[in-house]
Amino acid sequence: MSATMPIRFFKPFSLRLVLIVPYVVLVIGLAIAIGMLSYSAGSQAVATVSSHLLLETVGRIAQAVDRHIVGSSAVLETAFPTGVPAPQSIESDFHEIRSRFWVATTLHTDPNNYVYFGNEAGQGLGLFRHTADEVELRMKLRPDEHRAIYTFSGIDGPLQFQRREANLFDPRTRPWYADGKRNNGHTWTSVYIDFGTRQLVATRARQVHTASGSFDGVVATDVSLKALNDFVGRLKVSPNGVAFIIEPDGNLIASSASRNVVTLPDGSSGRLNAGRSDHGLLKAAYDTVQGRIAARDDKDLPRVFDFHTADGSLVHAAFDRIRDDAGLDWVMIVAMPASDFLGGVRENVSRTIILATLAVLFAIFIGLSILGWVSDDLRRLTEAARRVGNGELDAPVGIERRDEIGALARSFETMQNRLRTDRLTGLANREAFMDQLRRRIDTAREDRRKHGLGVLFIDLNGFKAINDTYGHDAGDRALQEIGRRLSDHVRENDLVARYAGDEFVILLDPVDDRSSLLSVRSHIERSLREPLESIGSPHSPVTSGGAVGAALFPEDGDEAEGLLKSADRAMYADKHGEAGTT
């Protein structure tokens, strides 16, 4: 017994020892090494590292900008290929233009999901892609008419009229049209605020000419800068560092330290200028680079430089500039206080003896700090377990580690997947279906623009006879085949689940109206009547079929349980041939 006691004592602390001991050894080694190095050598090494990091960071930002805007040229070229003359009127080449716009918005849907055209006759046509198949067409054919909004699905889908805009839209008065008309070739408009999303947007435009070469109109595409701002915001420059992108006039495009759009005193939205930022390091970095931007000093870019803030602190910085033939001119700046790198280097010479004495305590402190980081992940695991206990089976864990906690997180995610999945068919199970149905109903309540939801409740016919005649293995294969068949006949956003035994349920999201729901129901019924391939033979086919009940949210129920009961009752009525069922 005594021989096993140490194992029982230390085993629970294995992770603690693994985390603390390396830091104890590291700090002791650093204390010895610091005593052997001179202050100047340490400072020079740190400066070299900071320069490489600055150049790497500004290079990453430049690559992100290039990836963000590179597709806009191809979008315009696809919408109106070079050499293709402008049509005499939009209606004369409507179908060809619509097809090209459809293809153009599939090239780089994020961020180029909107392409539009206006001509000197005051006509306008725009195509805005909501999803891979669902698009919105905005069109006006006479200068004095209000723009009509249509929706359609598929490249040649029929147009469904939605509404006409209240305000009169004339493309010839828009800034993008004026910029495109003024500049021969591609041009970038000024960055502006989309007041619907409060996000920055840039527009790329190009002239479209007639067969004789005269100007006829402008084709353009919008580039949302939200993803670019999010990328810069996620950059880990240094503990107190900052990275940002500006236009030559100092207006922020993206920043890791502040918003690029602010609320003005009158309640409207406005852009934040770096020179008026309340972030001291960002403003100081811009003030230092401002003269070089104005002088268009683009030699030897990217460039690393140093400057001092108003309080005398040394800052290492780098900047680069990205420009193109269409007039894009953005400046990327990264700045980091030297203290973030130097730390205690300047005082290490005088503190060498003290540091050596306190090395172990310092290592323990570091270890405990790391344990605090570990405990955060443990708390996340605990919270995920609590949410699963409350019925949220898809509660995210989001822990990426390679130690014991990472193994535990992966095991927990595996358990979550099993709890959500029916083991026989691989479909979602009842609990996962109900949880998803409740969530989508909550979403539908919050967004009045969202289409309705539909639920289909399916009960297979004669399944007991299949089990009795061919055996339970054959019955299992039949359930698996039915599950695959149902999954193949629904859309990607729909959800198929095995409810119980030979009962299946389908969540249809979105559903436009009851006729659409009943159309899907009929489609499912036909697929269920097809012979089973997993049992039987061509000479002796085995069919199952099934009763299908349908319910529509919110008409048939505004809660998950009520909606499902409505579908169940409709299925029961269908199974027993009652009239008046959905």
Side-chain angles (χ1 to χ4, degrees), residues 278-403:
D278 57 3
H279 191 280
L281 182 57
L282 187 151
K283 183 178 184 303
Y286 169 69
D287 290 341
T288 303
V289 179
Q290 184 178 15
R292 301 176 185 180
I293 297 174
R296 304 178 71 85
D297 185 6
D298 296 346
K299 296 179 180 178
D300 302 323
L301 291 182
R303 184 183 307 171
V304 177
F305 62 96
D306 295 337
F307 68 92
H308 289 83
T309 60
D311 62 1
S313 300
L314 177 65
V315 177
H316 301 304
F319 83 101
D320 197 359
R321 194 167 191 163
I322 186 166
R323 302 162 74 182
D324 65 8
D325 295 337
L328 186 77
D329 188 1
W330 292 352
V331 179
M332 296 144 291
I333 304 173
V334 180
M336 309 177 187
S339 58
D340 282 357
F341 293 96
L342 293 175
V345 171
R346 295 171 181 172
E347 301 177 358
N348 278 343
V349 173
S350 62
R351 295 183 179 181
T352 300
I353 297 176
I354 299 175
L355 182 61
T357 303
L358 300 176
V360 174
L361 294 177
F362 183 68
I364 293 175
F365 171 76
I366 295 291
L368 292 176
S369 299
I370 294 176
L371 283 177
W373 168 61
V374 172
S375 66
D376 289 341
D377 284 342
L378 290 176
R379 281 194 294 269
R380 292 168 65 183
L381 266 175
T382 302
E383 175 63 16
R386 184 192 64 77
R387 293 174 64 184
V388 169
N390 291 336
E392 298 182 37
L393 301 182
D394 57 351
V397 179
I399 296 178
E400 299 290 338
R401 303 171 66 104
R402 296 186 179 181
D403 55 13

Side-chain angles (χ1 to χ4, degrees), residues 168-186:
L168 182 63
F169 169 82
D170 189 338
R172 296 169 297 184
T173 65
R174 309 303 295 173
W176 57 269
Y177 192 93
D179 289 345
K181 183 177 181 179
R182 184 169 52 251
N183 296 280
N184 187 20
H186 288 252

Side-chain angles (χ1 to χ4, degrees), residues 434-462:
M434 293 302 296
D435 181 60
Q436 191 63 235
L437 179 58
R438 293 187 189 99
R439 292 189 183 189
R440 297 203 190 183
I441 286 178
D442 290 342
T443 301
R445 288 198 189 102
E446 294 172 359
D447 188 354
R448 296 175 179 266
R449 300 169 299 175
K450 188 174 178 64
H451 294 289
L453 307 176
V455 171
L456 299 180
F457 199 110
I458 302 165
D459 186 10
L460 301 182
N461 294 332

Side-chain angles (χ1 to χ4, degrees), residues 458-512:
I458 302 165
D459 186 10
L460 301 182
N461 294 332
F463 181 72
K464 184 177 183 302
I466 293 177
N467 274 335
D468 294 342
T469 304
Y470 298 96
H472 289 285
D473 288 343
D476 290 345
R477 293 196 302 274
L479 289 175
Q480 292 169 344
E481 180 179 347
I482 292 297
R484 290 191 298 270
R485 189 178 297 180
L486 294 176
S487 298
D488 291 341
H489 285 80
V490 298
R491 300 163 298 185
E492 181 179 357
N493 201 43
D494 299 333
L495 178 65
V496 181
R498 184 185 178 195
Y499 193 73
D502 59 349
E503 295 176 339
F504 295 82
V505 286
I506 301 176
L507 170 58
L508 301 172
D509 180 15
V511 174
D512 292 331

